[in-house]
Structures are given as C-alpha cells and as structure tokens.
Amino acid sequence: MKTKGNFMGIPGPAWLGVALVAAALLVLPYVAGMAGTAWVRILNFAILYVFLALGLNIVVGFAGLLDLGYIAFYAVGAYLYALLASPHFDIHWPFWAILPLGAALACVFGVLLGAPTLKLRGDYLAIVTLGFGEIIRIFLNNLNAPINVTNGAQGITLIDPLSVGEFKFSTTSTLFGLTITGPQKYYYFLVVVAVLVVILNLRLQNSRIGRAWEAIREDETAARAIGINTRNVKLLAFAMGASFGGIAGGMFSAMQGFVSPESFSLLESIMVLSMVVLGGMGHIPGVILGAVLLTFLPEVLRYGVEPAQRFLFGRSVIDPESLRMLIFGLALVLVMRFRPAGLWPSRLRKRELTTEVTP
Amino acid sequence: MDILLQQLINGVTLGAVYALVALGYTMVYGIIGLINFAHGEVVMIGAMVAFTVITSLAAHTQLPPLLILLIGLVVAAPTCMLLGYGLERLAYRPLRHAPRLTPLITAIGMSIVLQNVAMIIWGRNYINFPQMIDKTSYHIGNALITNVQVAILFLSALTMVGLMWLVYRTKLGTAMRATAQDQMVAGLMGVNINRVIAAAFVIGSALAALAGLMVGTYYEIAHYQMGFMLGLKAFTAAVLGGIGNLAGAMAGGLLLGIIEALGAGYIGDLTGGFLGSHYQDIFAFFVLITVLVFRPSGLLGERVGERA
Amino acid sequence: MQFSMKGITLGVAATIALFGCGKKEEPQQAAPAPAPQTAAPAPAAKPEMVVRIGHVAPLTGPIAHLGKDNENGARLAIEDANAQKIEIDGKIIKFELMGEDDQADPKVGTVVAQKLVDAKVAGVVGHLNSGTTIPASKIYADAGIPQISPSATNPKYTQQGFKTAFRVMANDVQQGSVDGTFLVKELGAKKIAIIDDRTAYGQGLADEVEKAAKAAGAEIVAREFTNDKATDFKAILTKIKSKRPDAIFHGGMDATGGPMLKQMKELGIKAKFMTGDGGCTPEIVKLAGDASEGIYCTQAGLPVDKLPNGQKFVEDFTKKYGQIQIYAPYSYDAAMVLIDSMKRANSADPAKYLPEVGKTSYNGVTGKIEFDEKGDVKNGAITVFTIKGGKLETVAVHGGSAPVAAAAPAAEPQKEEAKK
C-alpha cells in the first residue's frame, strides 16, 4: 500500500487545492453542526490538539528530543489565562494580552526544562521530561496553601470567554442573518490561529534553524562539527515547542471556562506524543492528521460501538465503554504494526526506513 | 530514631517491590533499547490471575494457605510469561527495525488494551486481595516489621541473586549480555537473537508476576489500573540506577522507595511545612533529575557512547 | 480481520451520526419512531412519549466503579418510574436513560454534555466529579437543561449562578463542619491528624474538617497528603504516629481508606479513625477487614435503611446490580427529583419544568430533598455512622428536616474504643 504519488506533502502552487481546503474549513462547522454541536466541540478540541501536536513535533519530530512532559506547557498557558481572566484574583485582562504572555511564559518554562537536560539523551531525557510534567501538575494541585495561587485540586471557575468588545465567543449570536453558535465562533478563531501556526511551522522547517534541528536529530556530533551551536539550537526547540503549548493552553482555558490539574495528567502528554508518532513524526501534514484522527477516534467509537455490537450480535455483549478504549488501544498497536513510520510519513523518513540496516 | 528506623523499613519494602518491577524494564531496555510501557500492566495481570486462583482455591479446598499462595504464583507466573512472550512476538518483534518511537507507541497501546481487557474480566471495582498469611508484627526497637514485609524482602533478594546468577553464570545470560552489547555481532557469533530477546521478556514477566503477587499480598488490594503508577515508579527507579544495568535497577528501586518514605516523613518539617507530603512524588523526580544532571547515565549506568 | 472490524465500526458510526442528525430535526414531542411494537399492545388510545434523561459519570479509568454505580442508580430510578406508567400531559411517559462516559476528564465532560444537549435530553443526572460537573454545567445552563449532580461536592458548582445547577449531595462545607465538630465534641479528640488525597473532593472536605475542628478547640498535629491512586501510606502514617494524635481524619475514598486502615493496624496506631462519605461504604469493610471495626464516618442524608423507601431501594439495587458502592442512592434520588418535577409541571419540556425543580420537596431514599436558592440541598442531614460487626450503624443524625431522625439509639461513642 505504498502510494507513489507526489501530491502528498508537496506544498506546490496548487492554489485550487488551497481554495478548496479553505472552503472546506469554512463550511465544516456547519456540516458538523448538523450532526450535533458536540461534533463542533470535538472539532475545536481537534484543532487544539493540532497546536499541541505541532508544538511537540518541533521538539520530537524536528530536533529528535523525546519529551514526555509536554503537557506541562499547556498547563502553564491554561493557568496563566485562568489567573489573569477570572474572578479568582479578580483580574480580567483581554485575551490578546494574555495569550502572547502565556506563550512567553511557556517559553521560559521550556528553557527551564531544556537547560539542565541538554546533556541527556534519548530515554533519560524522556524520563526527566516526564518528571518535569508531573512536577508542574503536582505544584498546580497543591499551590493553594500557604498562599492560594491555583486553588488546588478544586480548580478555577468562571474564566472569561474570549471576547472582543461586546462580542462574546461563548454565546450564540446572529451575524449577517446567519446564526452562529459559541463553539462555531471558537472554531473560526481557532482555524485562523491554526493556519498561522501551520504556516509558521512550514517556514520553520525549511529555515536555517529547521535544518539545524534536523542535523542534530540525525547526528549530534556531526552537527556540532559543522559549526552548529547545539546547545542554543536545542534550547530553541524546547522554547518554540513550549510556546505553542502555552497558546493552546490559554485557548483551552477560555473555551472551557474552568481549569483544574486533572486536565494535565501524564496521559495527556502520552496522547499528544501518540498523535505525533502515529501521524508521522517530523512531517507537518502527518502530524495534523494524527492529531485529528486521535481526537475523533474515541468520539466516533463512543457513537459507534454500541450500535455496532447490536448490529453484530443483536445485543450489547461487552460494556461499550470498556470496548471503546480497547479498540482505541488496538488501533494504536495496529497502525504502528503496519505503518511503523506513521500514517503519513515524510518521504525522507520513508526512504530511511526502507534502507536502514543497523538496528 | 525509632521513627527513622520505621521509615526505613517502610521504604525498603516498597523499594524491593519497585526493584523487582524495575528489573523487568531494565532487562528489556538493556537488550533492545525499548521502554516497555506495558510492563506495569503485566504486573497487574499477575496480581489479578493470582487473585482468581487464590480466592477460588481458598473457597473450594482445604489446602494450607501457604500452598495456595504458591499455587497462585505457579499459575500467575506462566500466564505472565506467556503474555510477555506474546507481547514481544506479536507487538514488538515486527517493529525491531522501525523508528525508535514506534515501539513506544505500541507499548502504550498495549498498556491501554491490557487495562481494558482486565476491566472486562475482573470488573471496575477494587478487589480485596485475600489475606492468606496471618500478619504478625515483630519489634525492632520500637519499630514494627510484619512477616509479610520480611517475606517480601527475602524473596526479592533471592530473586535478584538468582537473576544475577542467570545473567552472569549461564549460557543464556552470556548470550543476553552479548546481544545487549551488539546485536549483529552476537548474531554472527551464533546467538539466536530472537530467542534471547524473547527470554528477556519472559523472565521479566515472571518477575512481574511475582511482584504482582507480592503487591497483592502486601496491600491486600488489587485494581485493573494498579499497574500504571507502579510501572512508572519502577521505570523511574530503573533510570535512576542506570537503565540497562541489573544492579542499577535494584539500587534504584531501593533508593526510590527510601526517598519516598523519608521524603514524606521529613521534608515537611525541614521546610517548615511548605513542602509537605503532597510533594512526595516530586522528591523522587527531583532526586532523579539531580542525579541525571551529574551522572547522565544513572547511578550505576555505564558511560554510553555517542551513539547510544 | 481486525481492520475489517474497525471498518464496520466506523461505517456504522457514520450511519449512526447521519441518522442521529436526521432524527434531531423532528420536534421532540412527537411520538418517537423507534418503538412501534411497544406502542401496539396499548390500544387504549393513550399515546406514549419518550423522555430521555442523561446520565454522565466516568465509566472508564480509575474511578469507573463509582461511575457505573451512579449510572445504575439512575437506571433503577428510570425503571421504577417506567413501571409506574407516569402520565404527563395526557401521555404515558417512557423514560430512557442516556448513559455517557466522561472519563473524569473535564474536556470530555464538555463534549459529552454537548452530546446530551444535542440529543435534547430533558434533564441530566451528573456528573460524578466536580472537575467535570463544573465545566459541563455551563453548557447545560446555556441550553436551559436542569442538571442534578448526585456527587459533586465542590461548593463552586452551585455558586456560579446557573439556574439549572442542583445537587442532592451535601457540599464539603456542610459535611466537613459536622465531621470536625463530631471529632472534637463527641469523640473527645484534642489532637487530630488529617489526611487528604489531593482530589477536589478530599481536599475540600479535609479543609473544612480542619476549620471546624480548630473552631471546636482541637489542635491539628499533622496535615498529611496522599493521592487517590496510592496504596502505600506507611510513610505518612509513621509520621502521624510520631505526633500521637487522638484521632485521624481521612478525606478520601474507600479505595484508599481500606488499605490505610490495615496499615494503621500494622503500624500499631490506636487513634480513632473518621472519614467522609467517600469512605462510608460497605466496601471499606471489605477492603479493610477487621481494621474497619469501630471507625466513624458520615454520609449526607438520612441513613438509607432507616427510611421506608430506602429499604426497598437497597433490596432492589443489590438484587439487580450487586453491592452499592457509594452514590447510587443519590443518583437514584437525582433522577427521581427530575421526574417528580416533570410530573408537577405536567411537562417534560425543560423550560417549563425547570422552575419546579427548584421548588422540589421530595421524599427520596436519602431523605427529604429540598433545594435552597443556589441549588444546594437545603439543610441536608448528615448521618454519622460507626462500623460494628462489619456493618454500618447509625450513631447520630445532624440537621435534616426529616422527622424520622435517628430512631436508632445514639450509641455511646465515647466508650466506643477503636480496638486494635
């Protein structure tokens, strides 16, 4: 099943394609809305995960540094937004001020994590980042005493939604005779940011820095030998990856109106990593595919497992909830088994894989 | 002083369990460089199978409790070994030449699968692990140690000695070490790579079954999600000691157990209550990070070459 | 093979999604298509109407057992209501439960809430955790759908100002103050150690207990923490032992309370032990064995087996689903309150019957249920239990408007030595 076509992953001057994609993105929330607003919400989460996956892709896919605590940056962004736009401290800043701030703070945390771990490689790095992620979560969970900063496990409620003047993103309103629900508004906002993020990523990959990351990923010693400042370039990868997480976190806060530490568990880090690897590490379209697919799969199964069982056996044999996660796990295993480089790997990656001899 | 001694006893017992599980991680990692995230789930399956065997035997027969425990182990160990073999054969072996992260995702997938299978079989509820041994406490000064704790310490020590013997004194062990150093060359020297790797999984899984039984007997509770945190801690222990190194896994496990106990017991008072036992898990990671910053390949890990 | 299976699943899912979208267009009042045979044997001209009630709780993950328990509670309520052939607006109502899994994940919580809103459920029982209940409550509020949580104890849930948010469970403040006072006044504890599991529930409850105990004049000699997945408590218990407290309070669930009690016994700690509703279950007896003997715990509401309909509930539930975990009775009551409000409003339309929910005065299986203006259960009774011979026994009932209160002789708690 190896497609030889070169339509995948080639940016090309295919303006027609771009226009088609744009049109599709434009009408998507209405199509999804017909099946139920829940699908629009799922779509929004899918886009959030696209941000996260692209951010992590910089660290893991481009620079080849295994990060298992990525969700910490998401948490930093989310909590910053929550603290600066909620009754908790009675501060209500506008989102356009907080989101960049969240990105910057996450960036700082990225460097903080990166600096002491520069010497570490592979799996040692993995466990340290995992620890870092847990440390952030545990602090968020416990910083309600002696001074109440995060309100502990109870979380922060009543976070302001995105709003521009009187225009609130959380409510339904009518624009030019068109009804647009809260989730749909968020969708358009997210899509705009997502397009920017994707363009930024594409540019980054083909830039000097992008190539430096690639060089480090392939052979760090050689990279240093040809004059790449590996320390700075690695730190940059952590910082840039983290800042995407920070932005995504801020938007998560605004969309949910509530944050609590349980949203930032290790499992989330693992999910984002699975998206990157499953889609095709280092390949931007692949990573996007991975994020969208893994967000939708459990939800599709939620709607599908019970009826499918009834269809096959005439009754509910196994509790649909256990089966749903079971199928999800199996899907991960099977995709990796049959497409080890991911569903949509870059051509370079595929070539490496077929010619690789050493284990 | 009594308190310190008690905390040490607590920590060492916990550490012995970590060490046993960490050995499974480290053996697999040492040989094929894979973090087998599903290993914690193998421990869980071990505990669950032992639970089923023990409860049904205890209900329907009059066998002495110790014999029942032994039968539980005798059934659980092969089940886990089979599971470990199956994992390697079906999920990991086809991916041996795949990119490094691919088997990691497979391992995560298997972990989800095993958890949900266990949930379907054993249900969602916490399971009360039958108490086969009457717990008695012995005094050491004013500190208390139970017979179960003594048994755990003794059994883990025995297992570790056995494992050391296996790895350093037998032909299989030599083959394992050779494979760990260089798979291709070992293969050329006539080592059956597939068999060696499968053996690592099988032995690790047998240890996991033992650990599962121990955890069940010690805490008298089992749950289909019990493996995840335990696996994570054990993996941390393995890295702390230097992953791929057997002695390192043991040292790391014991150290982690002691750090946790002492951390929960003392740091709160030392920091004036600011860092209390709610930061228990942080101490472990903090020590880990500190160790790795100064010794990037763990306490006992060998210096890894540039192409690790 | 596996792939074809997946293909089928996806295919079916797609059709379902399309089908669901088609169905959504129909006005909800119209008799539903999917039950033509059931309509046939009732030619008595009484049309049937399906009313869906949503239920959300984690059915996968670490507290899936509690989630299933909640769902079963609501399911039993639906079955009981259907057996009564309730008539609303001239139609026989057939209630249907839409049980959903939120995985205790706030993000999934909102998606599921939206799914229920899309499906036009008439009301929602849930969610289980405060962490999912709070973000979801906004979605229900926007849609005007009444939501009654059987178990979310975070006070903030009802403080957000949503008219649709109710709970039939006492919040942390109500329960914590009873627990804290009881420890000091009834058990005579002067030095108290408090443990919590760092969940929203455990932390909230433990904080309130600490406040109440201090107010009653006790000294908090240790405040220790664990997590809800922990099994080893020896380190913190050893530390607590060194402080020689008279009593230990645990803010957490039975799954941690059980092993904790056993380890206390192993370490020779003789202090009295008390816990909140999360540990006030038959399950803790199972998990802790002898070590649970003589502990104290509280439940919101009146003792289930002291109420006439409570007895029946326990029997029916155990027969159908086995042991009650914790919140099933509350979940049952939450569903019944929704149904009762629909009856009084003579409508299953959320907009019409929502005002009636606030005016509820319902004799449930956990006691009399009335709501205050925020949606909290009014003057909720808190019952203190002790465990004797492996059974929960009522010690005292605090607050509560019900006249049936503590018929059981308030066992002399002072002499009740936690014998170890």
Side-chain angles (χ1 to χ4, degrees):
Chain A
M1 252 285 287
K2 287 207 168 97
T3 40
K4 271 208 170 151
N6 57 357
F7 60 93
M8 292 174 169
I10 298 292
W15 283 108
L16 187 68
V18 172
L20 273 177
V21 170
L25 286 177
L26 218 57
V27 297
L28 197 54
Y30 282 93
V31 178
M34 274 194 282
T37 313
W39 288 103
V40 184
R41 279 187 196 270
I42 297 168
L43 209 57
N44 289 347
F45 283 119
I47 301 176
L48 271 188
Y49 277 111
V50 167
F51 292 162
L52 290 174
L54 283 175
L56 184 61
N57 182 46
I58 293 179
V59 185
V60 180
F62 291 172
L65 306 162
L66 180 50
D67 185 347
L68 278 180
Y70 184 69
I71 217 69
F73 308 122
Y74 185 55
V76 166
Y79 264 89
L80 188 76
Y81 189 99
L83 293 176
L84 295 182
S86 76
H88 184 57
F89 288 140
D90 214 6
I91 303 174
H92 296 276
W93 288 13
F95 77 90
W96 44 262
I98 310 175
L99 286 184
L101 212 60
L105 187 68
C107 200
V108 171
F109 272 86
V111 174
L112 258 146
L113 165 67
T117 54
L118 283 173
K119 275 198 284 181
L120 303 176
R121 294 197 172 196
D123 304 291
Y124 290 97
L125 183 64
I127 188 76
V128 170
T129 49
L130 185 153
F132 179 77
E134 283 294 286
I135 287 175
I136 297 280
R137 188 185 62 79
I138 292 171
F139 266 106
L140 292 175
N141 204 12
N142 291 313
L143 275 182
N144 60 324
I147 310 160
N148 189 355
V149 183
T150 62
N151 205 26
Q154 311 255 357
I156 297 171
T157 46
L158 293 174
I159 300 168
D160 302 345
L162 295 188
S163 58
V164 183
E166 286 302 297
F167 184 78
K168 279 207 165 57
F169 276 73
S170 56
T171 50
T172 306
S173 54
T174 315
L175 275 182
F176 314 117
L178 198 64
T179 319
I180 174 165
T181 61
Q184 283 168 342
K185 286 185 202 166
Y186 275 111
Y187 168 85
Y188 286 115
F189 181 76
L190 288 167
V191 158
V192 171
V193 184
V195 169
L196 290 176
V197 166
V198 171
I199 292 173
L200 188 67
N201 263 284
L202 285 170
R203 303 284 300 159
L204 211 56
Q205 187 175 20
N206 295 318
S207 70
R208 206 184 145 82
I209 302 167
R211 284 195 297 275
W213 283 334
E214 208 173 311
I216 291 182
R217 182 185 73 203
E218 296 304 323
D219 192 329
E220 197 175 330
T221 319
R224 200 180 301 141
I226 57 171
I228 294 173
N229 183 337
T230 53
R231 190 195 61 199
N232 289 1
V233 171
K234 269 183 173 180
L235 279 183
L236 196 66
F238 272 117
M240 301 247 4
S243 58
F244 285 118
I247 296 180
M251 289 196 287
F252 172 75
S253 243
M255 271 165 60
Q256 287 285 83
F258 172 78
V259 288
S260 62
E262 62 208 326
S263 290
F264 310 105
S265 61
L266 173 63
L267 231 57
E268 287 286 303
S269 285
I270 290 177
M271 276 304 288
V272 179
L273 184 69
S274 306
M275 289 168 182
V276 174
V277 178
L278 194 90
M281 263 194 346
H283 190 224
I284 293 168
V287 170
I288 297 175
L289 176 73
V292 173
L293 214 62
L294 283 198
T295 320
F296 270 85
L297 185 61
E299 298 307 322
V300 170
L301 290 174
R302 185 194 297 282
Y303 284 81
V305 164
E306 173 75 6
Q309 279 200 61
R310 283 190 197 289
F311 176 74
L312 288 173
F313 310 108
R315 69 200 165 89
S316 202
V317 182
I318 299 172
D319 182 9
E321 298 309 335
S322 354
L323 206 55
R324 183 165 62 93
M325 289 315 282
L326 189 69
I327 293 176
F328 180 77
L330 269 181
L332 282 185
V333 174
L334 289 177
V335 169
M336 290 290 97
R337 170 69 182 78
F338 293 104
R339 298 197 59 93
L343 286 170
W344 191 354
S346 62
R347 285 180 305 150
L348 177 75
R349 198 89 195 153
K350 218 193 245 166
R351 201 173 56 224
E352 272 174 11
L353 196 67
T354 42
T355 53
E356 207 166 28
V357 222
T358 50
Chain B
M1 197 57 217
D2 297 334
I3 296 297
L4 179 66
L5 186 63
Q6 184 71 59
Q7 292 290 25
L8 282 176
I9 293 172
N10 301 338
V12 170
T13 320
L14 186 61
V17 176
Y18 286 160
L20 215 51
V21 183
L23 284 173
Y25 274 100
T26 226
M27 276 192 0
V28 168
Y29 187 89
I31 293 177
I32 54 170
L34 162 73
I35 305 174
N36 180 12
F37 253 106
H39 191 65
E41 265 57 57
V42 179
V43 178
M44 178 268 295
I45 299 278
M48 290 296 193
V49 170
F51 160 77
T52 307
V53 172
I54 292 171
T55 32
S56 49
L57 280 182
H60 299 299
T61 60
Q62 299 296 323
L63 297 174
L66 269 176
L67 187 66
I68 292 180
L69 266 184
L70 195 68
I71 296 175
L73 180 64
V74 167
V75 177
T79 314
C80 285
M81 285 154 90
L82 206 64
L83 181 65
Y85 180 75
L87 278 178
E88 196 275 330
R89 189 68 191 81
L90 298 176
Y92 302 134
R93 191 180 294 180
L95 299 177
R96 212 169 287 157
H97 300 293
R100 280 180 61 84
L101 286 183
T102 303
L104 186 71
I105 303 299
T106 303
I108 291 166
M110 284 317 300
S111 160
I112 297 175
V113 169
L114 288 177
Q115 275 187 23
N116 282 283
V117 168
M119 180 163 99
I120 291 169
I121 300 177
W122 286 284
R124 294 180 166 88
N125 293 351
Y126 279 81
I127 290 170
N128 186 25
F129 209 88
Q131 190 181 346
M132 299 311 293
I133 306 173
D134 279 326
K135 279 186 184 162
T136 39
S137 302
Y138 311 109
H139 282 268
I140 305 179
N142 265 336
L144 290 170
I145 186 166
T146 62
N147 49 355
V148 175
Q149 281 176 312
V150 175
I152 286 179
L153 290 175
F154 177 71
L155 273 178
S156 353
L158 198 70
T159 319
M160 288 172 203
V161 171
L163 193 67
M164 283 300 212
W165 173 79
L166 183 94
V167 170
Y168 288 100
R169 289 283 179 274
T170 65
K171 210 164 173 186
L172 178 65
T174 316
M176 277 175 150
R177 282 181 291 133
T179 313
Q181 276 192 355
D182 194 325
Q183 256 184 49
M184 209 161 61
V185 176
L188 291 175
M189 295 295 161
V191 173
N192 185 342
I193 306 280
N194 282 337
R195 253 191 58 203
V196 167
I197 295 175
F201 271 91
V202 168
I203 296 169
S205 303
L207 297 180
L210 181 61
L213 184 67
M214 279 182 183
V215 172
T217 320
Y218 185 36
Y219 298 119
E220 296 169 36
I221 196 167
H223 188 229
Y224 76 98
Q225 289 221 324
M226 65 191 273
F228 187 75
M229 269 317 271
L230 185 63
L232 205 65
K233 291 270 172 66
F235 176 54
T236 311
V239 176
L240 185 64
I243 193 160
N245 181 313
L246 293 181
M250 297 171 203
L254 288 177
L255 194 64
L256 189 69
I258 294 171
I259 291 171
E260 285 194 350
L262 295 188
Y266 290 97
I267 303 281
D269 292 341
L270 289 180
T271 56
F274 177 66
L275 289 175
S277 51
H278 34 331
Y279 294 104
Q280 186 176 9
D281 290 333
I282 284 185
F283 309 140
F285 284 121
F286 185 73
V287 171
L288 177 79
I289 293 175
T290 321
V291 166
L292 288 185
V293 165
F294 292 103
R295 285 194 59 90
S297 35
L299 285 178
L300 300 182
E302 293 133 51
R303 278 191 58 82
V304 190
E306 287 294 282
R307 290 200 60 85
Chain C
M1 168 59 193
Q2 299 290 11
F3 265 124
S4 67
M5 266 282 281
K6 222 174 72 184
I8 291 172
T9 321
L10 290 175
V12 172
T15 17
I16 293 305
L18 286 174
F19 186 60
C21 115
K23 206 157 54 183
K24 198 178 77 99
E25 308 301 320
E26 298 170 19
Q28 196 235 348
Q29 302 297 77
Q37 325 85 307
T38 42
K46 280 269 167 67
E48 256 195 21
M49 185 171 83
V50 171
V51 170
R52 286 176 169 175
I53 291 183
H55 178 273
V56 193
L59 302 177
T60 48
I63 55 165
H65 59 296
L66 301 180
K68 200 71 195 172
D69 184 53
N70 277 20
E71 189 180 290
N72 287 339
R75 179 160 287 138
L76 189 62
I78 301 271
E79 281 167 10
D80 285 0
N82 282 339
Q84 288 173 25
K85 297 244 175 286
I86 293 169
E87 206 173 305
I88 288 177
D89 201 17
K91 301 188 191 83
I92 302 276
I93 302 294
K94 182 168 178 282
F95 292 100
E96 264 178 21
L97 188 75
M98 260 186 91
E100 291 294 339
D101 174 21
D102 65 14
Q103 297 164 266
D105 178 341
K107 165 183 55 109
V108 181
T110 55
V111 169
V112 167
Q114 188 70 57
K115 186 184 169 189
L116 291 178
V117 170
D118 289 349
K120 297 211 166 34
V121 294
V124 174
V125 177
H127 305 190
L128 193 155
N129 319 61
S130 299
T132 50
T133 305
I134 292 172
S137 63
K138 189 171 179 322
I139 292 168
Y140 298 127
D142 288 347
I145 294 174
Q147 170 196 16
I148 305 183
S149 173
S151 49
T153 53
N154 189 334
K156 286 209 174 136
Y157 163 54
T158 46
Q159 285 167 8
Q160 299 175 97
F162 296 144
K163 283 203 289 293
T164 47
F166 299 91
R167 71 174 125 220
V168 290
M169 160 66 53
N171 69 26
D172 294 338
V173 182
Q174 295 167 321
Q175 191 180 169
S177 63
V178 169
D179 289 358
T181 322
F182 184 85
L183 278 169
V184 183
K185 295 274 160 69
E186 311 288 326
L187 296 184
K190 295 200 175 53
K191 293 196 286 182
I192 297 174
I194 297 178
I195 303 173
D196 81 65
D197 67 359
R198 295 324 280 168
T199 60
Y201 163 74
Q203 180 206 333
L205 183 61
D207 284 351
E208 293 303 327
V209 170
E210 180 171 352
K211 263 185 230 161
K214 271 182 183 159
E219 184 196 353
I220 307 298
V221 290
R223 181 79 204 260
E224 294 298 326
F225 310 91
T226 177
N227 68 64
D228 54 339
K229 293 174 199 72
T231 46
D232 190 297
F233 310 99
K234 287 206 167 157
I236 54 174
L237 288 175
T238 302
K239 187 176 170 197
I240 287 175
K241 187 185 178 190
S242 71
K243 310 271 185 196
R244 304 181 184 287
D246 304 321
I248 298 176
F249 183 84
H250 173 52
M253 310 304 288
D254 47 13
T256 45
M260 189 181 288
L261 281 165
K262 278 188 174 164
Q263 289 167 33
M264 274 172 66
K265 194 176 167 191
E266 278 171 36
L267 289 170
I269 297 175
K270 299 211 166 52
K272 286 173 184 141
F273 184 90
M274 186 171 195
T275 182
D277 54 342
C280 206
T281 63
E283 199 69 11
I284 203 166
V285 179
K286 231 172 80 193
L287 293 177
D290 302 343
S292 68
E293 205 59 22
I295 69 164
Y296 294 89
C297 63
T298 47
Q299 277 178 10
L302 295 164
V304 170
D305 48 356
K306 292 285 179 295
L307 292 165
N309 40 0
Q311 199 76 49
K312 185 178 171 305
F313 169 80
V314 174
E315 275 167 25
D316 288 355
F317 190 93
T318 355
K319 205 160 46 185
K320 258 192 186 120
Y321 308 109
Q323 180 82 275
I324 296 173
Q325 294 286 333
I326 306 180
Y327 301 118
Y330 302 96
S331 178
Y332 180 91
D333 271 357
M336 278 306 192
V337 165
L338 285 174
I339 292 167
D340 178 62
S341 310
M342 289 177 203
K343 268 201 286 193
R344 277 180 287 121
N346 200 27
S347 165
D349 180 4
K352 298 218 180 80
Y353 86 86
L354 173 61
E356 290 296 327
V357 181
K359 292 182 219 150
T360 292
S361 172
Y362 177 77
N363 278 313
V365 298
T366 60
K368 186 155 192 143
I369 293 169
E370 286 171 302
F371 296 112
D372 65 12
E373 65 283 358
K374 282 192 306 218
D376 279 330
V377 68
K378 204 189 273 179
N379 190 21
I382 308 276
T383 306
V384 183
F385 291 89
T386 184
I387 290 173
K388 226 191 220 169
K391 292 244 162 16
L392 287 169
E393 273 188 20
T394 313
V395 175
V397 177
H398 291 258
S401 39
V404 217
E412 59 279 35
Q414 312 286 32
K415 274 149 215 151
E416 193 65 31
E417 192 58 49
K419 55 174 183 200
K420 290 283 149 66

